[in-house]
Amino acid sequence: MSTVPVVEGWRHVSSGKVRELYVPADTADVAGATELLLLASDRVSAYDFALEPPIPGKGELLTRLSRFWFDQLRDVPNHLLTPSGTTTPVPAEVAARSMHVMPLRMFPIECVVRGYLVGSGWAEYQQSGSVCGVALPAGLSDGDRLPEPIYTPAYKAPQGEHDENISFERTEELVGPADAAALRDLSLAVYSDAAAIALQRGVVIADTKFEFGRDADGLIRIADEVLTSDSSRYWDAAAYESGNRTDSFDKQIVRDWLSAHWDRTGTPPVLPDEVVERTAARYRELIERLGA
Ligand code: ATP
Ligand code: MG
């Protein structure tokens, strides 16, 4: 297991599956913090498990992707703090894999948008003809582009539990109808913009997951990581057009290897070096393709 890095000027408050959260060291009450440091580790998670070993450079590459997308999607309010709005400096040795952000009250919803039918969406469609309650036309195949992108939210389960797909109506019960609609509309709009930008660079964003939170003034902001290869499925557009629907830029390499070597009971096996290296190389290639 990796240890939590000590960051000068900051106090560690919690560990997510991939990121460490810090508040300024002089903050007495975490709830009252006005700045937050999100430090991306090299840990890789799949099927809600943190895997061993870490992927070298992953934290930095994913942070770069998030920053790139926040910059591309400047019209959407996000959680980044500009240097002028901050008082606690981020030490240089962790700067490349950290984001200095405003603490938001997070919605307990994973806002998933799917532009293509793949993965758990494809599995569900085969059973029911729908995905998370969204009816789809008959006759679709694995990896097909959907007639239009669909919003398929999940409930963000507390630490240690698995996230659960839910209907849009359930999100209305959880956060109220107005916020549920706002999260859906924002998610669909951001996905469409990003997918168009990526396609110009020869990359398909098959699906993605956003998280949103509310700031002290009540404004909904996009938070967490955005359109990274952890939160999104990226494909090579040319490969996709020529019928190759398995060649992805994300951690599909890890998922595929795990599916073939683990029955999802007990602790997952340690990833072989070859899988680690191939995954790291794919992350680097995606950055180059996007120009991030
Ligand atoms: P996974 O993403 O694999 O499901 P996780 O969400 O449990 O794992 P991480 O992504 O490692 O954990 O940790 C980031 C945590 O920080 C998440 O709980 C996320 O909701 C939270 N977070 C992100 N941005 C903010 C923000 N601006 N304010 C408050 N919390 C945030
Ligand atoms: Mg997360």
Side-chain angles (χ1 to χ4, degrees):
M1 287 302 290
S2 46
T3 50
V4 175
V6 173
V7 183
E8 203 199 325
W10 296 84
R11 177 155 55 92
H12 182 254
V13 284
S14 65
S15 301
K17 280 187 287 293
V18 173
R19 259 91 36 89
E20 307 293 346
L21 263 77
Y22 300 78
V23 292
D26 58 5
T27 309
D29 172 15
V30 173
T34 54
E35 312 170 49
L36 206 60
L37 192 72
L38 271 178
L39 181 60
S41 71
D42 290 345
R43 294 194 287 273
V44 59
S45 80
Y47 305 117
D48 275 344
F49 278 92
L51 306 171
E52 290 290 336
I55 311 284
K58 174 174 178 280
E60 210 171 305
L61 292 169
L62 265 61
T63 303
R64 207 152 129 185
L65 272 178
S66 275
R67 284 190 201 289
F68 166 77
W69 282 114
F70 279 130
D71 202 39
Q72 295 288 322
L73 304 162
R74 247 174 284 172
D75 293 348
V76 186
N78 67 51
H79 67 158
L80 290 183
L81 279 172
T82 53
S84 61
T86 63
T87 54
T88 313
V90 176
E93 62 272 21
V94 294
R97 58 190 178 99
S98 18
M99 286 193 295
H100 196 178
V101 304
M102 28 182 122
L104 302 177
R105 265 182 299 130
M106 301 296 291
F107 292 100
I109 311 280
E110 305 244 332
C111 298
V112 178
V113 181
R114 301 166 193 266
Y116 292 73
L117 189 60
V118 64
S120 65
W122 165 240
E124 196 181 325
Y125 172 79
Q126 286 174 286
Q127 300 285 319
S128 64
S130 62
V131 181
C132 299
V134 181
L136 294 174
L140 294 175
S141 304
D142 191 6
D144 273 359
R145 184 177 182 166
L146 293 168
E148 57 188 306
I150 57 171
Y151 176 64
T152 60
Y155 174 64
K156 193 163 165 57
Q159 187 92 41
E161 291 170 40
H162 292 270
D163 298 337
E164 172 200 351
N165 284 346
I166 54 177
S167 64
F168 178 70
E169 289 69 29
R170 181 75 189 117
T171 68
E172 291 184 306
E173 288 167 17
L174 285 166
V175 303
D179 285 349
L183 297 183
R184 177 197 57 202
D185 295 349
L186 270 169
S187 300
L188 287 167
V190 174
Y191 171 81
S192 295
D193 288 352
I197 293 169
L199 207 52
Q200 286 166 1
R201 298 162 197 231
V203 179
V204 168
I205 304 176
D207 52 30
T208 192
K209 175 210 81 174
F210 302 110
E211 287 186 39
F212 296 91
R214 205 184 270 294
D215 70 14
D217 296 330
L219 183 67
I220 295 179
R221 293 178 179 271
I222 192 161
D224 208 53
E225 57 182 351
V226 176
L227 294 152
T228 68
S229 32
D230 264 7
S231 66
S232 323
R233 244 192 206 91
Y234 278 98
W235 294 334
D236 179 316
Y240 179 82
E241 286 311 323
S242 66
N244 180 346
R245 298 181 170 193
T246 55
D247 186 24
S248 64
F249 284 102
D250 53 53
K251 59 184 179 183
Q252 194 61 35
I253 297 167
V254 170
R255 287 200 205 98
D256 289 348
W257 186 85
L258 270 186
S259 307
H261 295 88
W262 182 46
D263 63 4
R264 298 216 214 165
T265 58
T267 321
V270 171
L271 303 171
D273 290 350
E274 177 264 332
V275 171
V276 170
E277 275 151 32
R278 221 153 25 98
T279 304
R282 282 308 257 171
Y283 285 142
R284 290 193 294 270
E285 203 182 328
L286 176 61
I287 298 261
E288 272 164 37
R289 290 289 289 275
L290 288 172

